[in-house]
Every structure is written in structure tokens, then in C-alpha cells.
Amino acid sequence: MLKISNLHAGIEDNEILKGIDLEVKAGEVHAIMGPNGSGKSTLASVIAGKEEYEITAGSVVLEGEDLEDASPEERAHKGIFLSFQYPVEIPGVSVTNFMKTAINEGRKAKGLEDMPAKDMLKMIREKAELLEIDRKFLSRSLNEGFSGGEKKRNEIFQMAMLEPKLAILDETDSGLDIDALRIVANGVNKLKSKDNAVIVITHYQRLLDYIVPDFVHVLHQGKIVKSGTKELAHELEEKGYDWIKQETAV
Amino acid sequence: MAYTEEELKKELETKEYEYGFYTDIESDTFPVGLNEEIVIAISKKKEEPEWMTQWRLEAFKAWKQMEEPEWANVKYKKPDFQAISYYSAPNSKPKYNSLDEVDPELLDTFKRLGISLDEQKKLAGVAVDIVMDSVSVATTFKKTLAEKGIIFCSISEAIKEHPELVKKYIGTVVPQKDNFYAALNSAVFSDGSFCYIPKGVRCPMELSTYFRINQAGTGQFERTLVIADEGSYVSYLEGCTAPSRDENQLHAAVVELIALDDAEIKYSTVQNWFPGDKEGKGGVFNFVTKRGICHKNSKISWTQVETGSAVTWKYPSCILKGDNSIGEFYSIAVTNNYQQADTGTKMIHLGKNTRSTIISKGISAGKSQNSYRGLVQVNSRAENARNFSQCDSLLMGNECGAHTFPYIEVKNKTAQIEHEATTSKIGEDQIFYCNQRGIDTEKAIALIVNGFSKEVLNKLPMEFAVEAQKLLEISLEGSVG
């Protein structure tokens, strides 16, 4: 589904990603771990097409299509979803209105009519239940005054509504207590299918107890320095990132 | 990227002003210049009674002694008042009973404006009194209104048919000598709307007027008078668009509202005069005096969405004369490119237990300057007056400005005044967040701006709110970057 080859990217002459190779197939869950500043969030932003990042070499290909020329919204229409580490506030715009706009813009891009209000309401009800979201929450302004946990749950709610092919969860576990973590992880697991894929970016092994990855990659200084199965995550948890740093320094 | 922000910006900038077209209808236009003869000629042309002519002349005399005000936070080349033609009326004179009789070209204009009368008639019972270059060319729903004793007609017609009402109320809220532009308007007003709601009558439909400047080089001086008699209610809508033009067009309207005891007037405006091109060339000068007086237990509510004009100078105000009266001002002012707006309100508390609310949302983009100027005045006998003011500014880009000039004058210690102000900026992070959800930048800005303006948009009547949202989108196109 996603094929990243020799990806070099950075911001204003500062190269952050220094040759990333990664292949994600449909039905797979990949975890990307690594210390602070290793380039995890940059990788997520580059896949999503954030414009301040410049790709200097290599490619990001989604289902055989090079994404280089695609705008962030086109990538979203192709099925890429990013759950933000720090979701932004949009005062006065309700969660429902935001989702309605996002879904209908996506449909417009595919040449479809707006989703009928009845279907939209039904979908909202189902997905809100899945993530144990109170209906009142949906009429609040997007992320405004939300707790850390509410913000993250709202991100996954949006993912459920948009039904992406490839979901990237950027530090979705940060700021979550154990109950919220369980709910969020449950939601993600229920949304998983053989046709979509998930990339989980995290510092800690904790989330991976709930969302079990097929592959774990360790990112360090802009490169994937180690790949393995979920055992690798446990090993990291035990030994810490210094182990990786030492190993790569050798 | 297939579509960089720069490209997007360029494409949007090349979009022509949506309503920038000119209707070629034969017009009856006065020679340029202003003097007593012109004032008398206007009055005569409109077949006005002698008292009206004299009233205009008094205003003209006062105006000659006055100086154009300079205190507003706007810069512009002052109009040459001797280079303006003060009267212009479409030639197709007689009033029509049905649309079939109306000049097809005129109908086409309405269609392009999206206000076909046919549609309007069907729409939620809205009666439309359209002012096309000063003279009313169509009035609908008059019969229904007449059954309730409601008078809704052009001011010229009112002067002829209901002189006692006009004579009693005109100039009582905005006197002839009130200010430079009000004096000018009083001398030369061409037409406008008149509305009278009898005692205890609740107007069954939204009254609506569409104003439009159409004749090259003619100033537009509208005069509106709305009288809500005791215990009555009316919701009045005013909306306008103007054709694209190189030279500046002056618009100096006066609106007077009178809410007698226990009456309520809701006055909503969507203003979309031509703002000038992206270099700041052309555009309408909008110098408007709007004021209402509230008698006992009455209420006046101003709601405005201001997106147009090169220069706006406008302060819809309430004089809370009667005890327990209420004044409200809800405003969205959008400026883009080189537009300048100095707008706000005055709430004058004279009666006991008077209350006022001010919600102002200013949105600045491009190289524009947007100022809020508001006065809250509590006089010595206004026991227990209350005011709440909230002024929020939203900035887009680094080249625009937002300014707030609140004036508070309190002479009674029982008053309670609250003022809140915020300034925020549309962030790239907000836009990227929307983009990532599949919402393009233009739509994202519209979404963010509509969210910011929600409290005011909610105050507009339903059909107007939809139009206003569209206008916000149109006026902010090309402001990204």
C-alpha cells in the first residue's frame, strides 16, 4: 500500500530524514519507535504532505502513485489520515460540522453528492458509540477546551468517520490515562481490516500492548536502524534507547 | 506539489468581483454639482410638498457650513462633491403590477444577483422593495401587509401618501445637522424605504430591501425610516451589491429607527458594495449614519455583516431613552486587500434599567485595516444600566491591521459595564489540520471564519444567514499567503 524509498526530507536546509525505506502492506500494523528528535513526527508530516517540509531525495508512493505532487487534501482524499500529536482548536466549529465538511469535501473530490443528512447522523451515532463518545461532545467547538484524552479520542473518532486506507497515529497515547488508552486502542482495533493499514508512532511500548503491531521499526537520527516484530518493542522497553544509540554508534 | 499556495493565491486573485457588472438601462441623470437649485430640483422631480423642500434646504445650508470629519481611522482621497451627480433614476417609469411588465434587462440583473423576484416571492414570505438606483421599481406583498395596516413603501411615496407620519418622525433620531454626511443626505436623498407598523401588530414577514448603485458617477443617498408603533414588532432586512467601477462611488445613507413603547425592531444588514480591486483601486465609500431610538420597554437590535466597500464609516447606534429598553449590536466586519473599515456602535443609556449588548467580530486580511469604535454612555439618571461588550479580531497574514477604540462614559455609579476583547490569527497549523482532513485551504478559511463569526451569524434570519456565509467566503478569497 505504502512504499517509502530512500526518503530524504527536511526543513530549511536542515535534513531530518536521511534515507528511510519502509513498506506497509494492506492489513498490517507497523509501529515506529525512537527517541525524541529522531524524526518520527517529521516522517508523519511528510507522508501527510505538510508543505514546510521539503523532500530532497527518494519517494513516497501510495498504491503505486507517487505522492510528491499531491497536496495534503489530495492525500487525504486518497485515504491518508494523520492523528495529530497536538490537535488544533477551531473555535465556533462543532465536531459534527467539521466532520460533515470533511466527509463532503472528500465525496466532492470523488465526484459524489453530499452525504444525505440521515446517513451522516446514523454514521456519527455508530462511530461515537464505538469510541464511547457522549453525543453532547459532538456539538462542542473542535478541540476547544478539550482535555488531552478528549482530543485524542476525537482524533480517532474522525478516523472512524473518514475510514482511511492508511492511518498514521502520531503519539496518540501521550496524555491518555489507562481507561482512555483502552478505549482509543479498542477503537483502532475495531477499525482495522485486511484492506487498511496503520502506522503507530510512539515512544512507549504501552500502547503496543493494546494495538499489536506486525512490525516494529526503530528510528534514530533520521534512519530506520532496526526492524523486527513486537518483541523488539519489549526489548526497547527493557534496555532503553541508549542501547540502540550505542549499537548504531559502533 | 501540484497546487502550491502561491498558485492558489494567484488564481483566486484573478477572479473578478462576482457582482461586478453594469446594467445598461437608460437613465435620467442630473448634471454634476451641488447647489440650492439642484436640491430644489431633486425635490421637484420627486413631486415633494413644500415643507419637504424647505427641510432639504435647511439641511443643505447646514452642510455648507460643515467640514468633512477626519477622526476615523481611515485614509482616502476626499470626494469632490461638485463632481457628483445627485440624482439618477431608471427611465422605465410606471410601476409594475406583474413581473412581465418589468424591463427584461432589469430582471436579468436581479437574476445575476441571485434575487429573482419569483424566487423571492416564494421564499418564506419575504416582501421585497427593490431600490434600483434610487427609485423603487418593484414592490411586492403590499396587499398582505396592507391588510394589517402595515405601510412598506419607498420614502418618496411615503412623503406623498403619508406626509403626517414622515413629517412627525423624519430627522427626529438623526437630525439634519447631525454630521457632515447626514446633512448631505438630508439635502439630497434620492429615495429609500419607509416602514410603519401599527400599534400591537406583529409584522408577519421579514421586510427586505435590496439596494444597488447602478449609474456611473452618481452618488447614492438613501433614506430609511422605520417606525414601530406601541407594542409592534418588525424584522427588517437590508442587503446590497454594487457593480464594479474605476472611480470611487460615494454612498451616504441615513437610517432612522423609532421603537415606541413596548415595540421591537430587528434590523439586519448584509453589505457587499464593491470593495475596489486587489490594488485598492475603485470601490465604494460607505459613510452611513444609522441610529434608533428606544422608548419604554422597547428593543432595537442591529445585526450587520459588512464585507464590501473600499472605506466604511458606520456606527449603528441606539438611544435607550425609555426605561427598561434594550439595545443590541451584532456585527461582522470583513476587510481584505486595501479595504478600510471604521465601524462600531454607540449605546446611549438615558432611561432606568436600560441594557445593551455589543458583539463585534472583525476579520482583517490582505493589507486591510479594520477598526472597532464603540461608545457606551450612561447618563446620570440611567439607574442600573447594564452593558456587555465583546470585541474579537481575527487576523490573516502579516500585512493587515485590527484596532479597537472603546469609549466608556459613565455618570451613574449603579451602572455595570463589561468589556472583553480578543485578537487571534488564523494559524498555518489550523489550515494544515483542515487540509489533512481533506478540506482545501479556501474552504478551511471559510470554516474557521464562520466559526469565529458564529455568535453573530446566529442572530441573522435564516435565509440571510446562508447568504452571509457565502459572502464571507467570497470576500476572503485570495487572502491566503
Side-chain angles (χ1 to χ4, degrees):
Chain A
M1 175 178 290
L2 180 76
K3 195 170 192 314
I4 298 174
S5 318
N6 188 34
L7 181 68
H8 290 255
I11 192 164
E12 288 169 3
D13 298 333
N14 179 22
E15 190 170 75
I16 301 168
L17 302 180
K18 298 167 181 168
I20 303 254
D21 290 289
L22 178 68
E23 188 170 358
V24 179
K25 294 200 176 81
E28 291 178 351
V29 175
H30 289 242
I32 293 176
M33 304 182 73
N36 281 329
S38 56
K40 300 190 299 290
S41 286
T42 299
L43 179 62
S45 295
V46 169
I47 297 171
K50 196 168 186 183
E51 286 176 14
E52 61 197 74
Y53 293 97
E54 202 191 334
I55 297 179
T56 47
S59 62
V60 179
V61 174
L62 183 76
E63 297 191 308
E65 197 177 341
D66 195 320
L67 292 181
E68 193 176 344
D69 292 334
S71 66
E73 58 271 24
E74 284 165 347
R75 292 173 197 226
H77 298 154
K78 287 181 203 299
I80 291 179
F81 178 89
L82 172 62
S83 167
F84 284 67
Q85 185 178 0
Y86 304 108
V88 300
E89 296 179 3
I90 306 186
V93 178
S94 68
V95 176
T96 304
N97 187 19
F98 185 69
M99 274 295 90
K100 191 182 96 190
T101 309
I103 285 175
N104 285 335
E105 287 296 293
R107 290 173 67 95
K108 202 165 80 188
K110 292 180 183 74
L112 298 170
E113 295 282 304
D114 281 1
M115 184 184 275
K118 199 181 79 191
D119 298 356
M120 183 84 70
L121 282 172
K122 186 166 165 265
M123 189 174 182
I124 287 173
R125 204 174 301 139
E126 282 171 14
K127 306 294 182 180
E129 240 164 67
L130 180 74
L131 287 149
E132 301 177 33
I133 284 174
D134 188 343
R135 298 272 292 284
K136 269 183 242 152
F137 177 86
L138 300 172
S139 57
R140 283 169 62 186
S141 284
L142 189 68
N143 291 319
E144 199 184 32
F146 285 17
S147 70
E150 284 173 329
K151 282 184 183 171
K152 294 303 171 71
R153 205 187 295 188
N154 180 33
E155 292 293 286
I156 304 305
F157 168 69
Q158 293 183 36
M159 171 184 159
M161 292 293 292
L162 294 167
E163 300 175 331
K165 282 183 195 145
L166 174 71
I168 305 162
L169 312 184
D170 189 4
E171 309 247 352
T172 297
D173 50 341
S174 69
L176 288 188
D177 62 34
I178 197 75
D179 292 328
L181 186 74
R182 184 185 50 77
I183 293 165
V184 163
N186 251 337
V188 173
N189 286 332
K190 281 185 196 154
L191 297 169
K192 247 173 32 184
S193 79
K194 63 175 176 33
D195 300 318
N196 59 28
V198 182
I199 297 176
V200 182
I201 293 174
T202 181
H203 263 300
Y204 306 106
Q205 199 268 331
R206 193 175 69 152
L207 178 65
L208 305 181
D209 285 340
Y210 297 92
I211 305 172
V212 182
D214 300 300
F215 301 96
V216 174
H217 311 277
V218 182
L219 198 61
H220 179 51
Q221 293 179 341
K223 281 184 185 166
I224 290 175
V225 291
K226 211 172 178 63
S227 293
T229 59
K230 67 178 193 313
E231 302 312 319
L232 178 58
H234 288 288
E235 211 173 335
L236 275 173
E237 185 82 356
E238 255 169 56
K239 298 185 182 171
Y241 287 115
D242 284 345
W243 161 64
I244 290 289
K245 287 178 190 170
Q246 279 160 18
E247 204 168 76
T248 51
V250 173
Chain B
M1 302 289 138
Y3 215 37
T4 65
E5 207 138 280
E6 203 48 42
E7 282 165 350
L8 176 75
K9 201 173 156 186
K10 262 195 210 120
E11 190 198 296
L12 292 171
E13 273 175 354
T14 54
K15 270 193 193 169
E16 295 279 322
Y17 179 64
E18 290 235 340
Y19 301 134
F21 52 85
Y22 174 73
T23 308
D24 192 15
I25 296 175
E26 217 187 314
S27 290
D28 176 5
T29 302
F30 272 32
V32 297
L34 184 57
N35 52 44
E36 276 192 15
E37 282 71 56
I38 292 282
V39 175
I40 293 166
I42 291 169
S43 192
K44 208 170 157 193
K45 184 96 195 164
K46 306 190 78 62
E47 297 160 7
E48 288 175 354
E50 181 58 22
W51 63 267
M52 197 67 234
T53 314
Q54 287 309 320
W55 194 83
R56 286 176 181 272
L57 285 171
E58 276 170 39
F60 179 69
K61 270 183 204 131
W63 178 74
K64 276 198 296 187
Q65 308 299 319
M66 295 168 104
E67 300 224 343
E68 206 175 340
E70 289 178 347
W71 45 263
N73 187 27
V74 293
K75 290 191 191 79
Y76 61 94
K77 191 172 166 284
K78 286 182 184 170
D80 177 356
F81 294 99
Q82 295 303 335
I84 294 171
S85 167
Y86 288 85
Y87 186 82
S88 160
N91 251 349
S92 32
K93 256 291 169 64
K95 302 247 168 149
Y96 314 102
N97 295 318
S98 83
L99 287 174
D100 307 340
E101 298 171 32
V102 180
D103 189 335
E105 206 167 334
L106 194 61
L107 287 179
D108 188 49
T109 303
F110 294 145
K111 254 183 228 148
R112 286 159 81 180
L113 282 166
I115 53 157
S116 98
L117 280 180
D118 262 323
E119 245 179 35
Q120 288 287 349
K121 278 181 179 172
K122 283 175 206 154
L123 258 176
V126 179
V128 184
D129 177 48
I130 295 163
V131 179
M132 176 82 169
D133 253 32
S134 322
V135 169
S136 298
V137 291
T139 307
T140 50
F141 277 86
K142 237 174 175 172
K143 275 186 197 157
T144 327
L145 295 175
E147 279 165 18
K148 298 227 168 208
I150 294 167
I151 305 166
F152 180 43
C153 60
S154 71
I155 192 103
S156 321
E157 198 180 326
I159 290 166
K160 275 182 247 167
E161 308 289 328
H162 310 282
E164 70 297 339
L165 282 172
V166 178
K167 205 171 173 180
K168 186 173 175 191
Y169 290 107
I170 196 166
T172 58
V173 191
V174 180
Q176 288 137 294
K177 297 167 195 170
D178 188 79
N179 67 69
F180 184 82
Y181 295 108
L184 179 64
N185 175 287
S186 301
V188 303
F189 71 86
S190 37
D191 214 332
S193 295
F194 175 85
C195 173
Y196 171 80
I197 315 290
K199 271 183 198 172
V201 170
R202 200 180 159 83
C203 185
M205 58 186 82
E206 315 266 6
L207 296 182
S208 170
T209 322
Y210 281 83
F211 293 100
R212 191 160 154 70
I213 302 176
N214 202 42
Q215 187 65 27
T218 42
Q220 178 110 347
F221 302 94
E222 297 289 343
R223 186 98 199 179
T224 301
L225 182 57
V226 178
I227 304 151
D229 211 329
E230 290 172 21
S232 69
Y233 166 85
V234 64
S235 171
Y236 192 94
L237 316 182
E238 170 199 54
C240 52
T241 60
S244 167
R245 179 99 349 109
D246 253 359
E247 63 206 281
N248 289 305
Q249 291 178 303
L250 177 64
H251 180 76
V254 171
V255 176
E256 293 180 280
L257 307 185
I258 293 125
L260 296 173
D261 293 358
D262 305 300
E264 181 177 348
I265 301 175
K266 193 171 156 50
Y267 194 100
S268 312
T269 306
V270 170
Q271 187 268 114
N272 185 28
W273 301 110
F274 180 52
D277 64 17
K278 65 179 167 53
E279 259 89 49
K281 204 168 158 231
V284 171
F285 289 177
N286 193 24
F287 304 127
V288 181
T289 307
K290 288 186 168 179
R291 196 176 300 152
I293 189 160
C294 287
H295 292 268
K296 236 183 266 172
N297 307 318
S298 71
K299 179 176 172 183
I300 288 180
S301 188
W302 297 100
T303 306
Q304 60 171 23
V305 178
E306 298 277 321
T307 65
S309 297
V311 182
T312 303
W313 185 95
K314 180 179 174 189
Y315 316 90
S317 304
C318 297
I319 300 169
L320 303 170
K321 186 181 169 215
D323 292 349
N324 312 313
S325 61
I326 298 170
E328 293 175 336
F329 174 73
Y330 301 101
S331 169
I332 300 168
V334 181
T335 54
N336 195 1
N337 297 321
Y338 285 88
Q339 279 177 275
Q340 304 176 69
D342 192 305
T343 181
T345 183
K346 289 185 206 170
M347 292 292 174
I348 314 292
H349 293 254
L350 301 176
K352 294 187 180 72
N353 306 314
T354 45
R355 283 181 288 150
S356 62
T357 304
I358 299 170
I359 309 281
S360 165
K361 304 273 179 179
I363 299 150
S364 333
K367 294 179 162 66
S368 69
Q369 296 296 327
N370 201 329
S371 302
Y372 166 81
R373 188 182 302 276
L375 168 69
V376 176
Q377 193 183 66
V378 178
N379 280 51
S380 53
R381 62 169 282 275
E383 294 285 319
N384 297 315
R386 298 275 180 276
N387 164 263
F388 173 76
S389 301
Q390 183 186 330
C391 302
D392 298 324
S393 303
L394 186 68
L395 296 163
M396 296 169 65
N398 299 318
E399 293 174 288
C400 57
H403 315 269
T404 305
F405 303 97
Y407 302 81
I408 298 172
E409 294 170 12
V410 178
K411 290 180 184 149
N412 185 307
K413 62 181 189 324
T414 61
Q416 272 184 28
I417 311 286
E418 289 174 73
H419 183 95
E420 289 177 8
T422 66
T423 303
S424 53
K425 215 180 140 177
I426 293 188
E428 279 170 22
D429 284 356
Q430 282 176 315
I431 292 181
F432 178 64
Y433 189 84
C434 294
N435 288 163
Q436 209 298 308
R437 299 301 186 247
I439 302 166
D440 67 26
T441 301
E442 206 180 309
K443 190 90 189 169
I445 287 173
L447 195 68
I448 293 165
V449 166
N450 276 318
F452 172 78
S453 315
K454 198 168 147 194
E455 289 160 276
V456 176
L457 287 173
N458 283 348
K459 296 288 172 187
L460 287 172
M462 194 53 193
E463 64 269 40
F464 237 33
V466 175
E467 193 178 326
Q469 282 191 13
K470 276 190 202 142
L471 260 182
L472 289 182
E473 287 179 34
I474 292 169
S475 44
L476 286 167
E477 280 175 356
S479 57
V480 197

